[in-house]
Structure formats: C-alpha cells, structure tokens
Amino acid sequence: MTARTISILGATGSVGASTLDLIRRNPADWQVVALTANSSASELAALAREFDAQIAIVSDEAHLPSLRAELSGTGIEVAGGREALCEAASRKVDLTVAAIVGCAGLAPTMAAIEQGGTIALANKEALVSAGDVMTAAVAEHGATLLPVDSEHNAIFQCLADNSVSDVRWITLTASGGPFRTWSAQQIAAATPAQAVAHPNWDMGAKISVDSATMMNKGLEFIEAHHLFPVGLDRLRIVVHPQSVIHSMVEYRDGSTLAQLGPSDMRVPIASCLAWPQRMNTPCAPLDLPAIGELSFFAPDEELFPATRLAREAVHQGGSAPAILNAANEVAVAAFLAGKIAFTKIAVVVEECLHRDIPAVPASLADVLAADSLGRAQATEILETC
Ligand code: NDP
C-alpha cells in the first residue's frame, strides 16, 4: 500500500498528539505534509523533524524566528502567520486533521475544504460558527467531512448505511463534567484548575472548561445539527457520567444503535484515519464487568445553562451560533486567566445573544465578521463586569 498524505492543523494540541501517536505506530502508512501550531515553536519543530514533515507553520508570526532556527539545515520548509497557515492547509493531501481550537481554525479548515479533500474535523467551533457556509462549501467542492468528536463519530458509525429519514432520535451523551454533582455555591467558587480536571477525558484547557460548563455539549448539539440533518427536534442530550456510550441513534422501528468505547480520542481518530476501513489502536478493550453500571440523567439547565443557550442560538439562526461561540471563547479565556468567576461565562454569552445579531452569514467573510463582533461585545461586557 502506498503511504497516504496527511496534514495536521493544530499538531501540538491534545487531538494533534493523539493523531500523531497513531501515525507513529504506523509510519509506513503516512507521509506528513503540513504540521501547524500557534506559538509552540520548539514542540512543533521536534514533531516536524520526527515525522519528516514537508512544512511547519506557526500561526503567530512572532514565533517564526525560533521555528526557523530550530529547523535550519533540515530541509523542512517553515512559515508563519495566518496566510501561511491557510496556504499550507490548501496543499492537496489525502486527509487533513482539523484540530485547531476555536474559530481560529475556521479559515484554514475552509482552505482545506476548498481543495475537495477529506477533512477529519475536530475543530467544532469552526462548524458551529460557519454552519451552512461550511456545509455548502463541502458540497460545492466535493469534500468529505469525517467527524472526530467522539459523539459525532459515534453517530456517524451508528448511522452507517441507514437512511436519515428513518431516524427517530439522535442522542448525544454528555459526561456532565467535573461539577456534575456540585452545589450551586461550589460551582460559583470553581477555580480554573478544578474546571480543567475532567473526570474521564484528557483534553486541551478550552474544551475542558466547555465540558465543565456544558457549553461543549451545546456546541456539539449545533455541530450535530449540521452534520446529521434530522431536524433540531430529533436531537437530544442525556448525561451519562461513565462516558462509555459515546452517542446513540434510535430508528423508527424502535431499534437503538449505540457506539461504546474507552474514553480515549485515539478511537474516533483511528476511525477517521482508517475510514472506511478499521485499524488497530493501543487502547485497552472495554471491560464491561469492571465498569459495572451505566447511568443516565436529564441535563440540569438551571445549574448549567449553556445547552439552553446553544439551543436558543441555533433556533434564533442567523449569526447567533457564531456570536455564541465567539462570546464563549472570550469568556472562557477570561475565566482561565482568573479574571471572572466560572458562572460568569454563561452570563456573558447570554448577554451577547440578547444584542443585535447579524443576518444569516452568506460567506466566510460574513462569519468572520460575526465572530469579531461577538468577541468585541463579550470583551465590552467583561470590561463593565
Ligand atoms: P489544544 O488546546 O490541546 O490544542 C490546540 C491546537 O491549536 C494547538 O496545536 C495550538 O497551538 C493550536 N492553536 C491554538 N490557537 C491557535 C490559533 N489562534 N491559530 C492557530 N493555531 C492555534 O486543543 P484540543 O486538541 O483539546 O482541541 C482541538 C479541537 O478539537 C477543539 O476544537 C476541540 O473542541 C476539539 N476536540 C478536542 C477533543 C480532545 O479530546 N482534546 C475532543 C473532541 C473535540 P499551540 O500549541 O502553539 O498553542
């Protein structure tokens, strides 16, 4: 078998590391084209050398000199800045792993989509913000989106060859995050260290906070709406603290198909790398007797309003999901920097959604404008806090 070409946008992150771990175990199967980071120049240089990448890019140009110094004499191309990132993303490859965090990943992901290739999408914020603009580009350019998010990958597997019109429900499972059993007073005093300590998954800081607020599930609700067009009223969320069932699809004949697996992102990533086949992973097999019990609860939207906000944003339509996402990114960054209380994150997002929302975005430029507006509004709200 000839090696397939791959680019990893966000190679220095948690999803990037899990992807590269699988590639490291199957070096003959892959030829690495582009690896990207924002500012982690040394880490990126080490990865580019190890995987013999064609090009390494730091999005933050201030880190280009150190990347250049680290890779001098290796023959590996280096570049810096947002334009260079998009140029690298637009190089034709067999598979692009879109694993940048936040709406910062949108433009490079769109550049990859415009090449008509296959994109393993982890960067949910890009799809939440761009919505129909992204799905229309996928259709126009004949690209393929494979969902990396464990829930969406589970749904994708459960849908397999079934018809979307036979679906009665799609159920997204949620762990409930580290504060699931906490009181309102405890949640109000939660620290960044407590919020990033997820009980089941080892992830980047931003998505860990999103899991703690349940905004992660809200973003996933919107992501599922775009990936699996069954209608918003057929999508629901259930809290499942063990994170063993990654999501479920119920059909009109009463059959429910679920995908189960360990809480290890290498499983859904492997499903995308090998699709439509399967590959080995080093993950331990499921030990159901050791797990013992699986439990399920309705989400508590009083304590965790983020899923309600996401539902309202997608029903509101227009640029509301992009505003929701941008406001959340700003508020989560402020929380992680110790500037606001945990419970303020949802307050900032809700206040932004009550402001004027631009009309339905028709292009990438419209989405990026809505994203900028959401960031400016959230920053202004934070300044008056
Ligand atoms: P991390 O924070 O661990 O990594 C983010 C990556 O994006 C890093 O390579 C980082 O570079 C790069 N990056 C950050 N900011 C920018 C920017 N402004 N421009 C360009 N590159 C940037 O995130 P995760 O791996 O946890 O998450 C990545 C995406 O995958 C998110 O959208 C998340 O929601 C999604 N996801 C993650 C899961 C997980 O288990 N982690 C599970 C499911 C989905 P640098 O190192 O230089 O900062």
Side-chain angles (χ1 to χ4, degrees):
M1 201 178 83
T2 53
R4 293 164 70 209
T5 51
I6 187 166
S7 287
I8 302 170
L9 314 177
T12 50
S14 161
V15 170
S18 294
T19 308
L20 287 166
D21 179 74
L22 293 170
I23 293 178
R24 190 178 283 118
R25 291 165 195 275
N26 302 279
D29 294 348
W30 297 99
Q31 186 189 330
V32 174
V33 175
L35 294 179
T36 85
N38 187 39
S39 56
S40 308
S42 294
E43 208 180 318
L44 181 66
L47 293 172
R49 273 195 301 270
E50 178 187 351
F51 290 94
D52 193 21
Q54 233 173 58
I55 179 165
I57 301 105
V58 275
S59 180
D60 182 346
E61 247 177 314
H63 297 270
L64 179 57
S66 58
L67 182 66
R68 186 167 279 137
E70 298 233 20
L71 289 177
S72 83
T74 61
I76 297 169
E77 227 182 299
V78 293
R82 305 280 310 156
E83 263 181 43
L85 174 62
C86 290
E87 187 284 318
S90 72
R91 294 188 185 191
K92 232 178 166 46
V93 283
D94 295 315
L95 184 69
T96 300
V97 179
I100 290 174
V101 63
C103 197
L106 174 58
T109 301
M110 289 292 280
I113 288 171
E114 281 160 18
Q115 294 315 303
T118 302
I119 289 92
L121 183 76
N123 181 205
K124 67 192 85 183
E125 298 92 344
L127 180 55
V128 166
S129 303
D132 294 343
V133 169
M134 183 181 285
T135 51
V138 168
E140 183 188 342
H141 298 284
T144 303
L145 275 192
L146 298 175
V148 169
D149 229 337
S150 59
E151 295 76 1
H152 305 75
N153 189 269
I155 296 162
F156 182 66
Q157 294 194 46
C158 293
L159 283 171
D161 294 327
N162 289 285
S163 162
V164 156
S165 61
D166 286 335
V167 172
R168 188 186 279 164
W169 288 108
I170 287 181
T171 304
L172 292 158
T173 54
S175 70
F179 306 148
R180 184 180 64 84
T181 57
W182 287 28
S183 68
Q185 287 91 326
Q186 286 173 309
I187 293 172
T191 65
Q194 290 168 325
V196 298
H198 196 280
N200 305 339
W201 297 92
D202 180 12
M203 309 182 286
K206 192 264 178 183
I207 184 176
S208 297
V209 176
D210 284 348
S211 295
T213 59
M214 293 282 285
M215 182 56 87
N216 184 45
K217 215 47 57 181
L219 298 176
E220 288 178 7
F221 182 86
I222 301 174
E223 184 185 10
H225 164 63
H226 291 295
L227 290 173
F228 314 113
V230 295
L232 285 167
D233 55 347
R234 288 173 191 264
L235 291 176
R236 61 185 178 182
I237 295 168
V238 67
V239 176
H240 165 46
Q242 294 84 8
S243 298
V244 170
I245 295 181
H246 297 302
S247 279
M248 301 172 244
V249 179
E250 182 177 327
Y251 291 94
R252 65 193 173 101
D253 61 3
S255 299
T256 296
L257 302 191
Q259 187 263 353
L260 286 71
S263 309
D264 187 323
M265 282 306 292
R266 289 176 297 183
V267 176
I269 293 169
S271 151
C272 294
L273 291 183
W275 182 82
Q277 259 106 49
R278 299 275 179 182
M279 65 183 276
N280 292 337
T281 69
C283 304
L286 261 194
D287 185 349
L288 289 174
I291 293 164
E293 285 182 7
L294 301 182
S295 46
F296 304 94
F297 305 93
D300 181 343
E301 293 192 336
E302 288 291 316
L303 276 182
F304 302 101
T307 49
R308 170 181 60 79
L309 296 175
R311 213 175 37 249
E312 285 171 7
V314 74
H315 277 287
Q316 192 173 344
S319 298
I323 299 281
L324 168 103
N325 178 69
N328 182 59
E329 285 193 32
V330 170
V332 169
F335 168 70
L336 283 170
K339 292 183 184 157
I340 59 168
F342 180 78
T343 41
K344 257 299 189 262
I345 298 172
V347 173
V348 170
V349 173
E350 183 149 28
E351 211 166 314
C352 282
L353 287 175
H354 288 157
R355 302 216 171 165
D356 282 346
I357 302 288
V360 183
S363 64
L364 175 60
D366 290 350
V367 179
L368 295 176
D371 177 71
S372 298
L373 177 69
R375 282 168 203 279
Q377 288 176 341
T379 305
E380 184 199 315
I381 292 165
L382 284 174
E383 278 163 5
T384 59
C385 271

